[in-house]
Amino acid sequence: MPDYKPLIVDDVQHAITAVNDIVIALQRDAPLTSDLVEVNYSKPTVDSFHQSSQAVVNNIRAASDKASQWLSETGDQLSRNLEESHRVEASVRETSSQLAQTNQHVAATQNHIDALNAEINNANAHLSNTHRALSDAQDRLDRRKREQRAVRIGAAASLFFAPIVAIGLVALDLGPMEDAVNSQRGAVRAAENQLASLHQQLQSQQTALLNEQSRSQALSNQVAQLQQRAQGLKAEVARLSDARAKLAELSANINNCLHAVDAALSSSVTITSMGSMRNVVTGIKGIATGLSSDGMFAGPVAQLNDAAFGALDRRVTAIVHHRLTF
């Protein structure tokens, strides 16, 4: 949106210059302190008055048009900002909801990981016990095999002396002990498989946790950015609302001044309905104040008092009457 203020200030400055030109032209032959009305103004003076009057009208009208455009565009910008503010606030709510759900998943996954770690500790203890049990069973079997080998060696030497005893010793059955060893090996494999499965589940959950934590961080950053944008829009909406209120007042002042200018200087106004130059000057001064540009209200127009305004109005009426009746 363009910055209309310097453009309006320029228009008002030109209007003030034109009013100063009117004052200078109408007091050239007789000062405004003189009550003389029927001044024999020269044609160049009359032409200068008309040009300056039209310049005042044109510049205040241009300022009015710019102020109206500025007010309209500010209102449009305010509407857009309000709409965007509503969208951002909705995004904040939606993203915050997603963040809350993600954080719940993070907590649930962490609890699952803690439970898996506890199971793994128990599985490690169980595997350790099955290894010890297998080792004990293997030791018993090995010891029995050694005993059987010793018996066989002894039986071969005593076969001739006690054949029945020797045969009984050699016939010791190792089957149940071997079955116990094999069973214990199966228990070890089962424990190892369970532990491997738990580690696989743990790795899967840890990967899921990292992904969920990453999503949580991304959503948290997004919420922070959206909240910052929402705060910026809120401040901008407040600024635009304040600016729009001030612009509405400025635009009304300029339009009121334009009516005063039209009444006092426009060629379409009749003598009986002519306005006062005091209203013109007061209106322009009010615009300058509204624009925070009181410094540009200077020159002869700033020196006019009540008597000077009366004399000026009478001379403007006379010169306009001369033009309308010419």
Side-chain angles (χ1 to χ4, degrees), residues 157-178:
S158 61
L159 184 60
F160 297 100
F161 303 101
I164 296 176
V165 175
I167 292 173
L169 292 171
V170 172
L172 288 174
D173 186 8
L174 299 179
M177 298 187 74
E178 290 176 341

Side-chain angles (χ1 to χ4, degrees), residues 4-15 55-71 247 250-255 257-258 284 287-288 291 296:
Y4 287 95
K5 181 177 178 178
L7 302 177
I8 296 175
V9 167
D10 190 57
D11 288 333
V12 176
Q13 179 67 73
H14 285 119
V56 175
V57 173
N58 292 343
N59 280 288
I60 296 299
R61 181 170 289 122
S64 176
D65 292 341
K66 292 181 179 68
S68 297
Q69 184 65 25
W70 192 7
L71 179 61
L247 279 174
L250 175 65
S251 181
N253 288 340
I254 293 176
N255 286 333
C257 181
L258 180 59
I284 293 177
I287 296 173
L291 292 168
M296 69 178 175

Side-chain angles (χ1 to χ4, degrees), residues 40-61:
N40 187 20
Y41 292 113
S42 64
K43 185 176 185 306
T45 299
V46 173
D47 291 343
S48 174
F49 169 79
H50 292 331
Q51 292 173 1
S52 297
S53 296
Q54 192 61 49
V56 175
V57 173
N58 292 343
N59 280 288
I60 296 299
R61 181 170 289 122

Side-chain angles (χ1 to χ4, degrees), residues 105-184:
H105 292 161
V106 168
T109 303
Q110 185 61 60
N111 290 337
H112 195 182
I113 288 174
D114 293 341
L116 283 172
N117 281 324
E119 287 188 57
I120 287 173
N121 290 335
N122 292 334
N124 278 324
H126 177 64
L127 179 59
S128 179
N129 291 334
T130 57
H131 273 297
R132 283 196 298 271
L134 174 59
S135 179
D136 292 344
Q138 188 66 52
D139 289 344
R140 288 192 295 273
L141 178 60
D142 292 342
R143 186 168 57 253
R144 185 55 60 87
K145 285 182 177 181
R146 288 194 299 271
E147 291 173 353
Q148 191 179 56
R149 284 196 297 271
V151 168
R152 285 175 178 173
I153 293 172
S158 61
L159 184 60
F160 297 100
F161 303 101
I164 296 176
V165 175
I167 292 173
L169 292 171
V170 172
L172 288 174
D173 186 8
L174 299 179
M177 298 187 74
E178 290 176 341
D179 289 342
V181 169
N182 290 334
S183 176
Q184 202 58 44

Side-chain angles (χ1 to χ4, degrees), residues 269-306:
V269 177
T270 63
I271 297 299
T272 56
S273 61
M274 281 189 63
S276 170
M277 286 298 293
R278 181 193 298 274
N279 295 336
V280 173
V281 173
T282 300
I284 293 177
K285 185 177 181 180
I287 296 173
T289 299
L291 292 168
S292 300
S293 301
D294 293 285
M296 69 178 175
F297 189 78
V301 70
Q303 307 302 320
L304 295 176
N305 55 25
D306 290 343

